[in-house]
Amino acid sequence: MSIVQLHHIRKVYDTKVAVEDLSFTIEPGTMFGLLGPNGSGKTSSIRMMIGITVPDSGSVSLFDRPFTRSALSRVGYLPEERGLYKKMNVLDQLIFLGQLHGLSASVASRRASLWCERLDIVEAIPKKTEDLSKGMQQKIQFIAALLHDPDLIVMDEPFSGLDPVNSFLLMSTLVDLCSIGKAVLFSTHRMDQVEKFCNSIALIHRGQLVLSGSMRQIKSNYPRNRVLIHYEGDDSFLRHPCIEHYKRYNGTVEIRLLPSATLDDDTQSLLAQAVAHARVTRFEVMEPTLEEIFIEKVQQALPIDNDHELSMAQLDQPNAGGLDA
Amino acid sequence: MHNVWLIARREYIERIRTRGFLITTLIIPLIMCGFIYGSAFVYSNSESAAHIAVVGSDTQLVLDLQAELQHRQQARHAQPRSTRQTSIAVDAIDAEPQNEQATRTLLDRELDSGVLDGVLWITPAVATAKDQPARPTFTFTPRSSEQDSLRGTLAAVLGTVLMREQLAHRGIAAADANTILQPVEIVAVRAPHRQDRESAEVSVTLLFFLMYMVISLYGMNVARSIIEEKTSRIFEVMLATIRPQEMMAGKILGVGSVGLTQVGIWLSAALLLSASTIAANLGGQGIHIALTLAQIVYFFVYFILGYAFYSSIAAALGAMTNSEHEIQQLNLFLVLPLFVCFITLKSVLTYPDSSMARVLALIPPFTPLLMYLRVSLGHPSRWEIFASIALTSACIYAIVWVTSRIYRVGVLMYGKRPTLPELLRWLKYS
């Protein structure tokens, strides 16, 4: 059984192709990361997945059935653009949104209180929404998406604007939900979050799928030719012959090994040399980061487009344009 | 349907709870009452305060005039439900031929300064023959045209006084003369099941304005509420659960019910007021609120049609725009048809069955307001009423169809306002 199945969906807004031939599947109990820079089509895909817009071609299945609106009662959605009724009391608001998802007022009220306790915002319950801080409002909306105990939880950039404590609280809540068999899809352009929590990903760029599959599978396609060293003192070990390229930051160096380098011998001799000259606090041999894989994939997919050089700093720039595709 | 109900209920409760609702519900009738009773008060006071000077050499005639005026006033006081009260205070001034010019200038000045409301000059008649007593000549100068009505009252009173004099002259006893000169009173009795036209016109006009006001006010509220949802971005959560059509329907119903509640409160207050003793005491002077049950029923039918028509247009405007400022620019679409009704109000009110009124009342944007006037005051045939309702309903259906499509795409759109070709393309998106 699969929770979500996108089958070659395509969406065009006027002349702009927002999503092109996108297919992926989400299984129950998966933490699914939908990745891509701003304007790559994440939100458009999500909107088609939950019936806010209809794909121009292709099909969407939820819970093994072609999309119908009745399936939406099993979906919890946190949009990227947060929104609540500002003038409404928090509890009334949660009850109202719960009722829209088919809960009775009393059940919605009870669950709302439980969730507020769990997310540590009991004091917000009697207040007006507009009197809450932005982070608190975000938590309220997070609760609103989960109140009806959905089987599919869709969160568009759920942690943007949250402090680390709250991000962690929400993330661990999602992990808990995942472990009891719910499917969680969240979109982000922050690769580090995905790398830590997701067990399955889809990478999209300019509306097209660049990479997808389980995290382990994707990573195993790449050799472990990255070395990360935290050190103090002399950096002469960076002249080691197996190093193809390195980037040095404050007390940290990221090394890419030559394709010819062997995992055991060369890395061990690199470590020995580093220890001989400097005080090493961390030494890790690993696969390329998702960020590097992503950049590589995008550049492969678009070889002609050279003046459009990709870097994550650039990808983080908000895209200008009327339509948030 | 359940979702529509939930949306409508939320909209209703949240709006009823606001201070703004309470304030408008209370303030508007207060202003209206203030206006009605205030004008009635001013009306009755200005009439009773008439103060005139009578200049004549015939002192007896002037004194008789004073006495007769006083007598009439007392008779009227004993009878509270009279039509129009005009109490006239009279200053008697002896006309001495030698300083006539001085008297004239003095009185003119007093007329100008407003101390006097009018001056009556009595010029004694020149007797020609003994049996033929000539009447004196009367000249009345009112302060302004407002006081012109005093002339009629004075003429009636002077007629009585002169007649009494003649009767006395012919040897008829004063008591007999009083009996002969007893004023005739005609009591107005309304024909059963017929309103008197004047008060019907006033009440219907009042309701016309009420409908006009509430439709434009609450139509704008629908637009504003959609914009508010766009700004707060809540609709995206909503659209992930319910259809845009349901959301729009709920919104229109919810906001509309608030309007209906308000109108209901006002109408029942008005009916209570008109039934109460205060209104009875004011009698014909105040504005009489007289409505038949059919008029009230038609009012609500056409109110609902009008509201549905204009608020769905407003919903489309709201979906197309991003700020209240932009709505103001498109407001014309809402205001213009209402304004046409406004201009034609007078002529439809006077000739509710003219061919212009008949044609206009069948054009859907004008139907709610104008057909309501016709139904209340004219005699539209049954098919006209039916056709007006059917045409407007069909039109509302079409507007809602278009609007819900604009709404569906428009609410997800942010950025610039759509151009007309873009709007047409939106209609094609499903």
Side-chain angles (χ1 to χ4, degrees):
Chain A
M1 174 187 152
S2 60
I3 301 283
V4 179
Q5 214 169 1
L6 300 186
H7 193 71
H8 302 292
I9 57 168
R10 174 191 159 90
K11 182 81 186 175
V12 182
Y13 289 109
D14 291 342
T15 53
K16 186 177 188 275
V17 180
V19 177
E20 177 81 72
D21 193 29
L22 180 68
S23 307
F24 60 76
T25 307
I26 302 176
E27 304 295 331
T30 317
M31 180 75 80
F32 190 93
L34 184 59
L35 305 170
N38 293 352
S40 58
K42 297 188 298 284
T43 301
S44 293
S45 315
I46 287 176
R47 281 180 177 169
M48 282 186 278
M49 196 185 301
I50 56 178
I52 293 178
T53 51
V54 180
D56 296 338
S57 65
S59 65
V60 178
S61 295
L62 290 185
F63 311 108
D64 279 334
R65 284 200 200 104
F67 179 84
T68 54
R69 295 199 67 88
S70 60
L72 288 177
S73 60
R74 295 172 65 189
V75 178
Y77 176 45
L78 178 81
E80 180 181 12
E81 302 271 356
R82 319 276 185 253
L84 292 167
Y85 287 108
K86 290 196 180 73
K87 304 269 175 206
M88 241 178 146
N89 169 298
V90 168
L91 187 62
D92 288 349
Q93 179 131 252
L94 287 174
I95 292 175
F96 171 68
L97 292 170
Q99 280 179 308
L100 278 182
H101 285 100
L103 294 183
S104 73
S106 60
V107 172
S109 159
R110 206 170 50 239
R111 288 193 192 169
S113 306
L114 282 175
W115 271 110
C116 285
E117 245 168 75
R118 182 166 173 184
L119 294 186
D120 204 21
I121 42 167
V122 181
E123 73 273 18
I125 294 178
K127 288 189 184 157
K128 256 192 185 181
T129 308
E130 61 183 352
D131 297 336
L132 299 180
S133 71
K134 226 181 157 192
M136 274 192 169
Q137 290 191 26
Q138 200 159 332
K139 280 181 170 180
I140 299 292
Q141 190 144 27
F142 187 82
I143 293 174
L146 300 176
L147 210 57
H148 54 290
D149 195 25
D151 295 316
L152 170 64
I153 299 159
V154 179
M155 308 223 145
D156 204 348
E157 304 277 0
F159 312 113
S160 67
L162 278 183
D163 65 55
V165 178
N166 282 316
S167 297
F168 182 75
L169 184 61
L170 297 197
M171 196 69 229
S172 53
T173 308
L174 290 181
V175 169
D176 288 351
L177 289 168
C178 220
S179 67
I180 58 169
K182 313 283 185 196
V184 178
L185 175 144
F186 72 91
S187 82
T188 184
H189 53 259
R190 290 193 44 199
M191 309 287 172
D192 55 328
Q193 286 175 340
V194 176
E195 205 150 10
K196 247 188 254 170
F197 297 105
C198 291
N199 31 38
S200 201
I201 59 161
L203 257 168
I204 55 177
H205 180 62
R206 298 194 180 174
Q208 282 176 321
L209 192 67
V210 175
L211 188 67
S212 77
S214 82
M215 197 66 130
R216 201 173 302 138
Q217 194 190 340
I218 289 170
K219 287 264 181 146
S220 68
N221 288 340
Y222 291 86
R224 307 212 313 171
N225 64 349
R226 302 294 198 275
V227 179
L228 180 76
I229 304 175
H230 288 195
Y231 68 97
E232 280 166 42
D234 188 10
D235 59 2
S236 58
F237 62 87
L238 291 173
R239 287 192 290 270
H240 192 277
C242 71
I243 295 177
E244 180 188 86
H245 172 78
Y246 63 86
K247 271 188 268 178
R248 190 164 30 168
Y249 309 101
N250 185 24
T252 304
V253 67
E254 282 175 17
I255 297 166
R256 186 180 194 161
L257 301 177
L258 284 167
S260 59
T262 55
L263 190 60
D264 289 338
D265 299 346
D266 285 333
T267 54
Q268 289 312 309
S269 85
L270 179 62
L271 175 61
Q273 213 171 88
V275 171
H277 295 94
R279 191 180 150 74
V280 175
T281 50
R282 181 175 175 187
F283 185 91
E284 188 179 355
V285 182
M286 56 190 197
E287 301 97 346
T289 60
L290 205 53
E291 187 177 320
E292 287 170 307
I293 296 174
F294 178 67
I295 292 172
E296 190 190 309
K297 274 286 175 187
V298 167
Q299 279 165 347
Q300 268 176 23
L302 304 151
I304 315 144
D305 202 7
N306 279 330
D307 51 323
H308 190 86
E309 195 189 323
L310 275 160
S311 75
M312 283 324 278
Q314 196 182 3
L315 295 173
D316 278 354
Q317 297 280 316
N319 79 317
L323 233 179
D324 187 28
Chain B
M1 215 45 224
H2 181 63
N3 289 337
V4 174
W5 156 247
L6 281 174
I7 303 268
R9 199 187 57 175
R10 193 205 75 88
E11 201 73 36
Y12 184 81
I13 292 176
E14 290 297 313
R15 267 163 205 281
I16 292 270
R17 271 188 194 165
T18 58
R19 213 169 293 141
F21 177 78
L22 196 72
I23 290 171
T24 43
T25 309
L26 289 179
I27 292 270
I28 289 186
L30 276 183
I31 292 175
M32 256 165 154
C33 284
F35 179 73
I36 291 169
Y37 285 106
S39 64
F41 182 73
V42 170
Y43 189 64
S44 59
N45 269 14
S46 66
E47 284 289 332
S48 63
H51 183 190
I52 66 165
V54 179
V55 192
S57 50
D58 189 344
T59 328
Q60 188 54 46
L61 179 63
V62 177
L63 285 178
D64 283 348
L65 176 65
Q66 258 175 326
E68 181 66 25
L69 277 172
Q70 202 150 16
H71 174 71
R72 289 200 170 201
Q73 232 148 285
Q74 276 162 359
R76 228 182 267 125
H77 267 291
Q79 205 184 354
R81 256 191 159 276
S82 66
T83 45
R84 192 173 266 209
Q85 282 184 353
T86 318
S87 69
I88 304 173
V90 174
D91 281 353
I93 294 170
D94 264 342
E96 288 161 37
Q98 59 269 35
N99 52 17
E100 192 191 305
Q101 201 51 48
T103 317
R104 269 189 196 277
T105 20
L106 178 76
L107 289 176
D108 276 350
R109 205 177 307 134
E110 290 197 340
L111 272 181
D112 279 343
S113 65
V115 176
L116 287 175
D117 293 309
V119 176
L120 180 73
W121 286 84
I122 305 175
T123 319
V126 188
T128 41
K130 249 204 176 132
D131 299 348
Q132 294 251 313
R135 284 196 164 177
T137 335
F138 302 95
T139 344
F140 182 65
T141 320
R143 182 158 59 92
S144 65
S145 56
E146 271 173 70
Q147 278 76 34
D148 213 24
S149 61
L150 289 174
R151 206 163 42 136
T153 319
L154 283 174
V157 173
L158 280 169
T160 318
V161 169
L162 288 175
M163 192 154 348
R164 196 188 301 272
E165 201 172 75
Q166 289 295 316
L167 288 172
H169 196 67
R170 276 157 212 211
I172 291 167
D176 290 342
N178 274 349
T179 320
I180 295 170
L181 294 174
Q182 188 74 41
V184 177
E185 186 86 22
I186 297 178
V187 179
V189 173
R190 211 177 286 163
H193 310 303
R194 292 216 79 166
Q195 293 174 283
D196 72 293
R197 172 88 192 178
E198 197 183 342
S199 62
E201 243 176 58
V202 171
S203 323
V204 167
T205 313
L206 217 62
L207 285 187
F208 174 91
F209 278 110
L210 198 65
M211 202 194 279
Y212 176 86
M213 218 167 65
V214 174
I215 284 178
S216 48
L217 191 75
Y218 281 87
M220 274 319 270
N221 274 353
V222 170
R224 225 171 266 136
S225 147
I226 287 170
I227 294 234
E228 190 193 307
E229 239 150 69
K230 281 180 109 173
T231 354
S232 78
R233 318 289 312 159
I234 179 86
F235 66 86
E236 198 167 340
V237 183
M238 311 289 283
L239 289 187
T241 346
I242 61 173
R243 282 166 209 280
Q245 289 92 323
E246 289 175 321
M247 195 160 145
M248 200 181 75
K251 225 163 229 312
I252 291 175
L253 283 181
V255 177
S257 318
V258 177
L260 270 182
T261 309
Q262 203 157 47
V263 173
I265 294 173
W266 291 342
L267 262 190
S268 23
L271 289 174
L272 273 178
L273 212 66
S274 74
S276 70
T277 43
I278 318 164
N281 278 340
L282 277 161
Q285 305 160 23
I287 290 169
H288 205 68
I289 296 167
L291 292 167
T292 61
L293 184 65
Q295 279 174 349
I296 293 176
V297 169
Y298 277 124
F299 173 76
F300 279 106
V301 168
Y302 285 107
F303 172 77
I304 289 166
L305 284 177
Y307 171 76
F309 188 92
Y310 284 101
S311 59
S312 20
I313 294 180
L317 297 186
M320 280 189 271
T321 48
N322 290 303
S323 67
E324 211 152 298
H325 175 73
E326 283 177 64
I327 280 223
Q328 299 299 340
Q329 296 172 336
L330 292 175
N331 202 2
L332 202 70
F333 291 102
L334 217 63
V335 173
L336 209 62
L338 284 172
F339 189 67
V340 171
C341 300
F342 203 78
I343 301 173
T344 50
L345 167 70
K346 179 86 185 141
S347 98
V348 176
L349 206 60
T350 327
Y351 307 106
D353 293 322
S354 68
S355 45
M356 185 194 80
R358 294 179 60 178
V359 171
L360 279 180
L362 283 178
I363 301 173
F366 312 135
T367 294
L369 284 162
L370 296 185
M371 198 63 183
Y372 163 68
L373 285 182
R374 288 201 62 210
V375 167
S376 301
L377 298 173
H379 306 278
S381 58
R382 201 159 290 188
W383 75 262
E384 280 178 310
I385 296 178
F386 178 77
S388 77
I389 294 177
L391 273 175
T392 315
S393 306
C395 213
I396 290 171
Y397 182 82
I399 292 175
V400 169
W401 188 87
V402 171
T403 299
S404 65
R405 261 150 196 83
I406 292 180
Y407 188 82
R408 192 191 172 97
V409 184
V411 286
L412 287 176
M413 215 74 171
Y414 22 117
K416 70 176 180 61
R417 200 166 79 200
T419 59
L420 193 64
E422 275 173 320
L423 267 182
L424 291 176
R425 218 161 332 152
W426 287 8
L427 293 185
K428 281 186 237 149
Y429 293 157
S430 56

